[in-house]
Amino acid sequence: MSRILVVDDDAILQRTLRINLRARDHEVLLAGTGRGALSAFFEEQPDLVVLDLGLPDLDGVEVLRRIRKVSATPVIVLSARQQADDKVEALDEGADDYVSKPFSIDELMARVRVALRRMPSDADVPATLESEGLVLDFAAHQATRDGAGIHLTPTEWRLLAELGRHLGRVVPHEQLLKAVWGPGYGSEHHYLRVYSNQIRRKIEVDPTRPRHLVNEPGLGYRLNP
């Protein structure tokens, strides 16, 4: 079962999409505003977002832009806007697909299936990361710096692996906590501070000036390639 966030201020369309997505065994979250969409996204960490551009508070492109600052979660844009420039802007900002209203439900469901097949998996974790003398072998769970072995705990490996799935991009605190410690976690930010400091002491040349594991205040963490 995949969790899908539907963002649209049209109650009839919301209901139609919820019925069709649930019929295909998806869990459905609903939001009718841009701010509601961002709140639901960060709290619930959906697997896919279906996003209307014409929202009553924030423009859908701005919602997309904020999501893309911290996440690679697939986003399918829905819009009644027919201008090519609108489509280009949404795609340039990171939309995975663009569906014009009115649309066929069967076509949209097909596009949902395609987008979900792009979801991150273990295959998205790089087999090996090498940078400035540091080698992280995710497959073998072995780490070295300048040839000397580094011991990382299973939890530290899980944290690095989740960051590795989004290499070079910021991963939100809530997403990291749920991926590493489980779905019951999401607000224990001090866990991340403690473990990231432990990891930096092991992998960074100068832990006070990290080059590999970087904190983006208020957003999350990034593993630099």
Side-chain angles (χ1 to χ4, degrees):
M1 179 185 293
S2 298
R3 178 178 293 184
I4 299 176
L5 172 60
V6 174
V7 185
D8 201 296
D9 62 340
D10 184 330
I12 295 175
L13 182 56
Q14 276 192 355
R15 185 164 59 250
T16 299
L17 293 180
R18 180 174 58 188
I19 290 170
N20 280 274
L21 289 168
R22 284 181 173 176
R24 291 161 175 82
D25 295 325
H26 299 299
E27 180 182 350
V28 181
L29 308 168
L30 298 175
T33 65
R35 291 183 177 85
L38 291 170
S39 177
F41 180 82
F42 290 114
E43 289 178 8
E44 302 295 340
Q45 293 295 311
D47 301 305
L48 171 70
V49 180
V50 178
L51 174 66
D52 181 32
L53 294 186
L55 300 171
D57 52 354
L58 294 176
D59 187 81
V61 172
E62 178 61 24
V63 175
L64 172 61
R65 190 176 292 121
R66 295 187 190 186
I67 289 174
R68 278 293 170 263
K69 285 183 179 179
V70 296
S71 176
T73 299
V75 176
I76 298 175
V77 164
L78 300 180
S79 181
R81 301 173 187 175
Q82 302 296 327
Q83 298 298 321
D85 288 349
D86 293 318
K87 296 181 181 180
V88 170
E89 182 183 20
L91 293 169
D92 281 347
E93 291 295 341
D96 294 85
D97 205 346
Y98 191 106
V99 178
S100 297
K101 295 179 179 180
F103 54 84
S104 159
I105 287 293
D106 287 340
E107 178 188 358
L108 178 60
M109 294 301 110
R111 291 172 185 258
V112 166
R113 290 193 296 272
V114 170
L116 288 172
R117 287 200 291 267
R118 300 174 187 156
M119 286 171 55
S121 65
D122 289 342
D124 296 303
V125 181
T128 303
L129 174 65
E130 299 185 33
S131 178
E132 300 177 345
L134 173 69
V135 179
L136 297 175
D137 186 336
F138 288 96
H141 280 197
Q142 294 179 348
T144 61
R145 168 166 288 288
D146 299 326
I150 300 171
H151 174 70
L152 295 170
T153 69
T155 301
E156 291 167 348
W157 274 115
R158 287 198 299 274
L159 180 55
L160 287 171
E162 183 62 21
L163 291 167
R165 289 188 177 92
H166 310 278
L167 193 61
R169 305 194 65 160
V170 178
V171 183
H173 300 108
E174 293 78 7
Q175 182 174 336
L176 285 171
L177 287 164
K178 290 178 181 180
V180 177
W181 282 276
Y185 295 81
S187 60
E188 296 81 356
H189 292 194
H190 61 285
Y191 284 24
L192 296 174
R193 289 195 295 272
V194 170
Y195 277 85
S196 62
N197 286 336
Q198 289 178 183
I199 293 171
R200 287 190 186 114
R201 286 196 293 269
K202 296 177 181 181
I203 71 172
E204 301 283 357
V205 173
D206 182 355
T208 64
R209 296 183 177 181
R211 297 176 59 86
H212 305 295
L213 179 53
V214 177
N215 176 33
E216 296 291 348
L219 296 176
Y221 290 82
R222 180 177 69 245
L223 184 63
N224 283 327

